[in-house]
Amino acid sequence: MTYINNTLFIGKVVIHLPRLDSTNKYAIDIISKNKPSEGTVISTDNQQEGRGQIGSVWESQAYKNITLSVILYPKFLSVREQFALNRISSIAVFRLIKSYLPKKEVKIKWPNDIYVGHRKIAGILIQNALHGQGIQSSVIGLGINVNQKRFYSNAPNPTSLQLESGEEFNIKQLSAELCEYLEEAYLKLKQQQYAELDQFYQYHLYQRNVSCKFVTKGNEIFEGKIKGVDATGRLCVKKAGELVYFSFKEVSFV
Ligand code: BTN
C-alpha cells in the first residue's frame, strides 16, 4: 500500500495490518530483519498493546484513530542531537491537528505531547537504535486520537479531533497528510534549518511563560515558569529568579 500524497519517501511504502500488538514493536522487529526503506510506515486499525512513554500503555479504540510508526535512518544526527527527532515529530503532529482545529489553542507539551487546551490529543514515542556516537535507526511512533469519543484508561484528560470539532475524519487521509508534515520537517532538519524548527517548537510550547506548579523526581514541589527547551531537549524553567534545567522524567506538572 502507499498513501496518496506529495512526499518523496515517507509513506511511499505502507505496511498496514488489520491488527497488531504495537506498530513500534513491529517496526523495530523488521528493521533488525530486513532493513526496510527509509520512510516505511507501519500502521494498524487495531493496536492492542500500544506502547506509551515511561512504560505506559497507549489506549486506542479499533478503527477510530491514527496509530502508526515511521522508520527513519537519521545517520546525519549524533546521539547528542537526538532530541531533534522529538522536535520535528511534535511539529508535524501539531501542524496536522492545527490545520483541522484552526480556532482552538493547540500546543506542544514538552517533550512531545500535543494538547488542545488542557487535553491531550496525541502522543509520540520515539525509539532510537544507537551505534557509537550516531543514530542507526529511529522509529517514530505516532498516536493521534481522531474519531474516538470515549476513553476508558486512566490517560489524563484525553480528547480527540471528533470531540473537539464534532466532525468525523478519514483516518487514511489524515495519515497521508501527517506523512507530508513529517517529511517537510525532517528535510528541514537534514538541511540544518535548526533555527526555524526550534523557533516553531518554542513558540507553541504548552504553558510557556505561565506560572505553574512542578514536581521533581525527588518529590519537591515548586512554582516556576517554562522559558523554553534547550538543544539537548532539557526543559528550562525560571524558578525563584534562576534558570534551572530538567531532563525528561526529572520533572512534571503537578
Ligand atoms: C505517549 O505516551 O504519549 C506516547 C504514545 C505513543 C503511541 C503510539 S501509537 C503508534 C506507536 N506504536 C506504539 O506502540 N506506540 C506509538
Side-chain angles (χ1 to χ4, degrees), residues 104-107 115-120 159 164 206-207:
K104 297 264 175 168
E105 189 173 68
V106 182
K107 294 281 175 191
Y115 268 53
V116 179
H118 295 291
R119 294 180 177 274
K120 179 164 168 172
T159 191
E164 295 296 331
Y206 178 72
Q207 300 293 62

Side-chain angles (χ1 to χ4, degrees), residues 205-247:
L205 212 48
Y206 178 72
Q207 300 293 62
R208 191 171 57 100
N209 280 327
V210 177
S211 263
C212 296
K213 273 200 176 138
F214 297 90
V215 57
T216 66
K217 210 168 54 178
N219 273 333
E220 183 209 341
I221 293 180
F222 69 92
E223 205 165 307
K225 274 186 194 170
I226 292 179
K227 300 311 278 181
V229 174
D230 74 5
T232 62
R234 292 181 312 165
L235 186 73
C236 173
V237 180
K238 194 162 195 176
K239 173 190 170 194
E242 214 182 292
L243 293 179
V244 274
Y245 292 83
F246 297 96
S247 299

Side-chain angles (χ1 to χ4, degrees), residues 146-166:
V146 181
N147 293 322
Q148 185 163 343
K149 288 196 273 190
R150 279 200 189 166
F151 292 85
Y152 299 94
S153 69
N154 55 2
N157 294 332
T159 191
S160 67
L161 278 175
Q162 170 146 172
L163 284 174
E164 295 296 331
S165 66

Side-chain angles (χ1 to χ4, degrees), residues 3-70:
Y3 289 133
I4 301 163
N5 61 13
N6 291 320
T7 61
L8 297 170
F9 57 99
I10 298 186
K12 287 294 153 217
V13 177
V14 180
I15 303 173
H16 183 81
L17 295 150
R19 190 156 37 116
L20 209 54
D21 47 1
S22 153
T23 58
N24 267 34
K25 181 169 178 283
Y26 188 94
I28 291 166
D29 282 353
I30 61 165
I31 289 172
S32 65
K33 286 185 190 130
N34 52 5
K35 201 168 185 243
S37 57
E38 179 157 58
T40 296
V41 169
I42 315 300
S43 69
T44 185
D45 299 316
N46 185 0
Q47 179 170 258
Q48 299 184 314
E49 287 169 45
R51 297 177 175 178
Q53 284 166 26
I54 331 178
S56 65
V57 175
W58 182 253
E59 174 188 354
S60 181
Q61 195 181 339
Y63 299 97
K64 298 282 185 192
N65 302 313
I66 294 178
T67 46
L68 62 79
S69 302
V70 181

